[in-house]
């Protein structure tokens, strides 16, 4: 027997229904906010992720499914969706159009991580990317949209926000931080020591307990934002307060991808174990330019579908469609045209084997059908069909043409 690879799984039965419910709910809400569907390739040039997510990020340096294809190209399976959408935005020259563009997508992402509960090597995201809007109102709107999606799915969450500043306030802060980190260098873990040079901001979200205790007194960017970033962050918190969306400012929230500036956020759940982030995102105003497009502000997010799978409250299933069956073998063929006709309007399950009445009723129950249509010896002789509405319990026999 061949099983799925480690960290990858099949989605069947209950899980596949949950998957569809999550995606359709998110799509319905994203459309209300003006988002259109975009589909980008799973396989991209490796350089796309090196340039966007960042060479020093764990995702790029340790977790990529990267290989040389038969044409000798350095390619990789996308570890996230934003880079591909930005590349598509630039490839289609949408950066040169004056209209603001908003896209939603969903699909598999690949990260070669150590699998554990809530952490897979192939997982699925639902994401949105909004291009061309620099106003912090858009950051607020996106956070509101995610809250609405989780509310519609019956999922509780905590929201953490931070500001990562901009090209004015981040560089001096970084310098200041490196100074602080260099002084405590000897007591920090190996990973942090490596990051002091490659990506000092990432030191802030080290999970090592000793490092965390040493970082309590680290300088905080939030205290040193430039006027514009400070005003935007204050505006965002005021808007969230007014909307009644509770949040916590986490000054160590830096995100694992390098393209963010200004607003960064994560939605977390306390009900799913250590891998608690159920969605993450933020602003990335420089990425379009970085991938050779015209400077275009942008903000987006992605929800981890597997992470919320168990949390989703599924709506009660209503009885739906028709179950058709024959109690004598010759009657099955009489049901084909009726099934084809009815399939223009509703779901139809046609049982091919002729069976007894009880057996058919059990079958209809299993399919959760609203109506049962059966043809026995009498109905076949008379050109009729027996119909029962399972909900109202009403029964009748009608000529086939009328049914
Ligand atoms: P991310 O925080 O890396 O952001 O991923 C978003 C979500 O994907 C996480 O919050 C988590 O729920 C889920 N996730 C990540 N890794 C795994 C895994 N190994 N197994 C299961 N679920 C996982 C991004 O990917 C950004 N592209 C989000 C974004 C869009 N920012 C702006 N636009």
């Amino acid at each position: 027997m061949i099983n799925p690879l480690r960290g990858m799984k099949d989605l069947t039965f209950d899980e596949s229904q949950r998957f569809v419910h999550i995606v359709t709910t998110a799509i319905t809400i994203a459309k209300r906010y003006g988002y259109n569907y975009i589909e980008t390739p799973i396989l991209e040039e490796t350089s796309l992720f090196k340039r966007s997510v960042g060479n020093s990020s764990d995702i790029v340096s340790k977790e990529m499914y990267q290989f040389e294809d038969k044409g000798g190209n350095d390619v990789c399976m996308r570890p996230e969706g934003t880079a591909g959408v930005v590349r598509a935005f630039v490839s289609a020259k949408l950066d040169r159009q004056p209209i603001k563009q908003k896209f939603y997508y969903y699909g598999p992402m690949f990260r070669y991580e150590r699998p554990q509960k809530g952490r897979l090597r192939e997982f699925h995201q639902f994401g949105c990317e909004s291009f061309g809007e620099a106003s912090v109102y858009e950051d607020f709107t996106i956070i509101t949209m995610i809250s609405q999606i989780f509310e519609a799915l019956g999922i509780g969450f905590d929201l953490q926000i931070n500001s990562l500043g901009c090209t004015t306030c981040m560089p001096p802060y970084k310098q200041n931080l490196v100074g602080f980190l260099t002084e405590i260098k000897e007591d920090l873990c190996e990973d942090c020591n490596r990051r002091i040079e490659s990506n000092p901001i990432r030191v802030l979200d080290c999970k090592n307990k000793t490092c965390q205790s040493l970082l309590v007194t680290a300088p905080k960017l939030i205290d040193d934002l430039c006027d514009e970033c400070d005003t935007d962050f204050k505006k965002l918190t005021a808007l969230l307060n007014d909307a009644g969306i509770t949040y916590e400012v986490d000054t160590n929230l830096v995100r694992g991808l390098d393209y963010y500036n200004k607003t960064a956020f994560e939605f977390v759940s306390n009900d799913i174990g250590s891998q608690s982030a159920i969605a993450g995102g933020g602003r990335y105003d420089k990425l379009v330019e970085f991938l050779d497009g015209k400077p275009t502000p942008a903000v987006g997010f992605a929800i981890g579908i597997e992470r919320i799978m168990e949390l989703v409250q599924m709506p009660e299933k209503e009885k739906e469609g028709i179950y058709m069956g024959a109690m004598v073998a010759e009657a099955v063929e009489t049901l084909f045209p009726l099934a084809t006709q009815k399939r223009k309007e509703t779901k139809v399950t046609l049982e091919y084997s002729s069976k007894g009445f009880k057996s058919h009723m059990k079958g209809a129950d299993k399919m959760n059908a609203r109506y049962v249509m059966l043809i026995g010896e009498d109905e076949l002789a008379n050109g009729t069909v027996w119909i029962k509405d399972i909900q109202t319990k009403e029964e009748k026999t009608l000529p086939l043409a009328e049914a």
Side-chain angles (χ1 to χ4, degrees), residues 107-354:
M109 308 293 159
F110 302 83
R111 297 184 192 175
Y112 198 85
E113 297 192 76
R114 194 172 47 76
Q116 63 176 82
K117 188 175 169 356
R119 194 205 273 155
L120 291 152
R121 288 181 173 170
E122 182 188 30
F123 60 98
H124 296 78
Q125 288 184 342
F126 174 87
C128 284
E129 313 294 348
S130 164
F131 294 98
E133 185 54 81
S135 164
V136 71
Y137 287 160
E138 190 69 350
D139 311 27
F140 165 71
T141 303
I142 275 201
I143 292 176
T144 311
M145 176 165 78
I146 308 167
S147 312
Q148 252 183 23
I149 293 174
F150 285 145
E151 196 184 313
L153 294 170
I155 296 174
F157 59 81
D158 288 329
L159 167 63
Q160 298 167 347
I161 58 168
N162 192 19
S163 175
L164 297 175
C166 66
T167 44
T168 308
C169 48
M170 179 51 106
Y173 168 74
K174 224 182 232 178
Q175 224 175 358
N176 196 6
L177 180 67
V178 171
F180 171 86
L181 296 175
T182 312
E183 273 177 32
I184 56 165
K185 204 173 163 163
E186 261 134 58
D187 301 317
L188 291 172
C189 74
E190 220 176 284
D191 261 356
C192 285
N193 266 282
R194 200 171 29 81
R195 283 180 177 142
I196 293 177
E197 283 193 7
S198 63
N199 197 349
I201 306 298
R202 280 308 306 278
V203 174
L204 293 175
D205 87 332
C206 177
K207 302 288 175 275
N208 181 305
K209 288 254 150 55
T210 317
C211 298
Q212 272 179 6
S213 64
L214 290 167
L215 292 166
V216 174
T217 51
K220 298 186 187 343
L221 176 58
I222 213 89
D223 301 328
D224 271 323
L225 291 171
C226 65
D227 284 349
E228 189 188 304
C229 289
D230 189 48
T231 309
D232 274 356
F233 193 64
K234 286 191 174 130
K235 184 91 205 163
L236 176 65
T237 54
L239 288 164
L240 291 171
N241 290 337
D242 287 351
I245 299 175
T246 43
Y247 59 87
E248 186 197 330
V249 176
D250 179 354
T251 51
N252 288 343
L253 176 74
V254 295
R255 310 272 301 127
L257 308 99
D258 288 354
Y259 48 64
Y260 294 107
N261 68 307
K262 288 193 173 174
T263 309
F265 57 81
E266 257 172 27
F267 284 73
V268 295
S269 162
N270 297 318
D271 304 324
I272 51 168
S274 65
Q275 298 304 308
S276 58
I278 53 175
R283 190 162 269 289
Y284 51 95
D285 293 330
K286 296 284 169 209
L287 188 55
V288 175
E289 207 175 329
F290 215 67
L291 294 177
D292 308 318
K294 264 177 68 178
T296 309
V299 53
F301 73 93
I303 294 174
I305 298 183
E306 281 83 356
R307 295 248 171 110
I308 58 171
M309 202 84 107
E310 285 171 27
L311 302 173
V312 170
Q313 285 171 21
M314 290 294 280
E316 212 164 289
K317 261 203 190 157
E318 284 190 16
K319 289 197 176 301
E320 185 202 358
I322 308 168
Y323 173 96
M324 293 184 186
M327 290 184 288
V328 282
E330 310 88 276
V332 176
E333 288 175 25
T334 314
L335 285 168
F336 274 118
L338 189 58
T340 307
Q341 183 62 28
K342 291 290 171 196
R343 279 182 176 133
K344 290 181 183 162
E345 355 166 333
T346 189
K347 174 180 165 188
V348 174
T349 307
L350 172 55
E351 172 56 56
Y352 298 149
S353 346
S354 68

Side-chain angles (χ1 to χ4, degrees), residues 23-94:
V23 171
T24 46
T25 304
I27 291 176
T28 306
I29 294 172
K31 280 185 174 167
R32 290 185 200 145
Y33 282 77
Y35 286 81
N36 294 307
Y37 183 54
I38 189 167
E39 176 76 37
T40 66
I42 287 170
L43 209 56
E44 296 269 8
E45 263 181 48
T46 301
S47 59
L48 171 66
F49 301 105
K50 287 193 171 167
R51 271 165 74 180
S52 54
V53 176
N55 251 329
S56 62
S57 66
D58 283 355
I59 295 178
V60 169
S61 63
K62 302 182 190 164
E63 298 167 2
M64 297 241 276
Y65 276 85
Q66 181 184 357
F67 56 95
E68 196 182 285
D69 73 5
K70 290 194 167 75
N73 305 299
D74 183 1
V75 297
C76 95
M77 317 259 280
R78 63 180 183 196
E80 59 103 52
T82 310
V85 175
V86 174
R87 187 206 42 69
F89 178 79
V90 177
S91 297
K93 300 192 169 49
L94 298 176

Side-chain angles (χ1 to χ4, degrees), residues 332-387:
V332 176
E333 288 175 25
T334 314
L335 285 168
F336 274 118
L338 189 58
T340 307
Q341 183 62 28
K342 291 290 171 196
R343 279 182 176 133
K344 290 181 183 162
E345 355 166 333
T346 189
K347 174 180 165 188
V348 174
T349 307
L350 172 55
E351 172 56 56
Y352 298 149
S353 346
S354 68
K355 292 182 179 177
F357 179 78
K358 272 196 180 159
S359 209
H360 276 311
M361 293 310 279
K362 266 192 203 155
D365 190 47
K366 251 196 200 157
M367 299 316 296
N368 205 31
R370 165 85 193 258
Y371 300 96
V372 185
M373 289 185 164
L374 298 179
I375 298 187
E377 228 165 280
D378 288 353
E379 289 82 8
L380 185 65
N382 300 333
T384 56
V385 57
W386 176 84
I387 305 170

